[in-house]
Amino acid sequence: MKLLRLIAIVTFTSLSCYAAEPQFTNVFISGQEGYHTYRIPSLLVTKSGTLLAFAEGRKSGCGDAGNIDLLLKRSIDHGKTWQAAQVVWDDQSNTCGNPCPVLDRDTGTIWLLMTWNLGDDHEPRIIERTSKDTRRVFVTHSEDNGLTWSKVCEITADVKSTDWTWYATGPGAGIQVRNGQHKGRLVIPCDHIEADTKHYYSHIIYSDDHGKSWKLGGSTPQHGVNECEVVELTGGKLMLNMRNSSKTQPTRQTAVSSDGGLTWTDQQHAPELIEPICQASIRRHTWPEDNNRSVVLFTNPASNKREKLTVRASFDECQTWPAERLLDQRPSAYSCLEILPNGMVGVLYEAGTKNPYENLVFARFDFEWLTAGKDSTIPEKKP
């Protein structure tokens, strides 16, 4: 904690009088509580305000395969303190991961989408179809703010094409559509690899019956993208913000859907959102009809390597990102944004002193801290 406070003091200069510096807590510390490494952060606020932090607990190493459990820690005080870790899914020596939860605001149920593979089936073998098994998709749910979870249920046949090999849910979080024709739809961002072409694509899966069944939505028109998150825009549109595999153009890619995720168009690079080929998070902060200002937030390591976890804000439906601040200058990687019940912004992210995978850190800050960080034209909230 002393190191984190020092980082905050050094990094967060020029704060306005009303924008307090961010607060940091190490939620999962690698090497502690029975796990070698914690990775793949996911953050969700329940309908009653409980904060859920999901992660992969990697038993014997930092690799993506092996004995990996899906874990959860809960906070009932907006992230100030965290309860002991609980195991959501442990399948012996196999890999249970890629948490991607979504809250059904109508029922209060939390749906958690996940992926599975045999512990000794590594990604290259799954892609080449020389593995013993393949990548599978599962779902569980909680009706008591994450205290207990239903038995995991496999939905692979419903959401994965037979000519796909690798598959990942999220990581990060899904959304429930708020406006338009598809209001109430639960949307989970995913990615896959085609068996024959070996091409990477992003896609979504969705539920129109409050999680009772899940269906396969549309894929991006162009390949070269994978891990993604989804955000709802005004005008009944959805946007995918995607990890880009091109080293020659190291920026995020986006695609837009006007039919609730069944088809995707306008795939393009987002020049402002530089990245070192890494996962990122995007989350709506406010709607224009709620407070006369549209705000969407974004986090990723804004560098040519995994470091400098940066927060950005867009006020024009993700067309530009005029507000930005460096949240953590250390090595950093995956992250997940959430809006806390008290109005603060929360981020669960990977960071460390020597490498990005030492801890899963929770940071929380006032939105004013972000907008105080850069001289730019930022729309004022109308009275």
Side-chain angles (χ1 to χ4, degrees), residues 182-232:
H182 303 286
K183 180 179 179 180
R185 173 172 289 180
L186 305 177
V187 181
I188 300 294
C190 304
D191 66 83
H192 66 273
I193 298 178
E194 292 182 342
D196 293 334
T197 66
K198 306 295 190 295
H199 288 166
Y200 292 70
Y201 293 87
S202 299
H203 72 274
I204 64 104
I205 62 178
Y206 68 96
S207 175
D208 285 333
D209 56 9
H210 300 286
K212 294 178 182 178
S213 64
W214 294 87
K215 298 179 181 180
L216 179 60
S219 299
T220 52
Q222 303 171 33
H223 65 90
V225 289
N226 52 10
E227 294 174 330
C228 58
E229 282 203 340
V230 62
V231 64
E232 184 177 356

Side-chain angles (χ1 to χ4, degrees), residues 264-335:
W264 296 90
T265 60
D266 301 323
Q267 186 173 341
Q268 58 186 304
H269 285 265
E272 288 184 76
L273 304 182
I274 62 171
E275 72 158 12
I277 306 181
C278 186
Q279 182 264 7
S281 182
I282 192 166
R283 182 80 66 154
R284 179 168 288 279
H285 181 265
T286 50
W287 288 92
E289 61 264 30
D290 287 342
N291 73 341
N292 297 309
R293 181 174 62 180
S294 171
V295 180
V296 176
L297 302 179
F298 175 85
T299 52
N300 83 326
S303 176
N304 60 1
K305 59 182 179 179
R306 294 187 173 187
E307 63 177 7
K308 300 181 180 178
L309 203 286
T310 300
V311 188
R312 303 175 189 263
S314 174
F315 306 91
D316 56 8
E317 302 301 303
C318 305
Q319 298 302 305
T320 61
W321 300 88
E324 68 175 78
R325 292 208 75 169
L326 178 65
L327 182 65
D328 197 325
Q329 64 187 355
R330 301 177 300 164
S332 54
Y334 287 33
S335 60

Side-chain angles (χ1 to χ4, degrees), residues 107-133:
T107 66
T109 301
I110 305 120
W111 294 94
L112 178 61
L113 283 294
M114 310 165 288
T115 48
W116 172 98
N117 57 267
L118 288 174
D120 56 0
D121 275 347
H122 293 256
E123 182 176 350
R125 292 184 60 193
I126 294 174
I127 294 172
E128 294 296 331
R129 291 184 285 182
T130 59
S131 55
K132 298 176 185 177
D133 206 310

Side-chain angles (χ1 to χ4, degrees), residues 8 58 65 71 163 175 198 221 281 301:
R58 303 185 172 187
L71 308 176
D163 62 339
I175 65 169
K198 306 295 190 295
S281 182

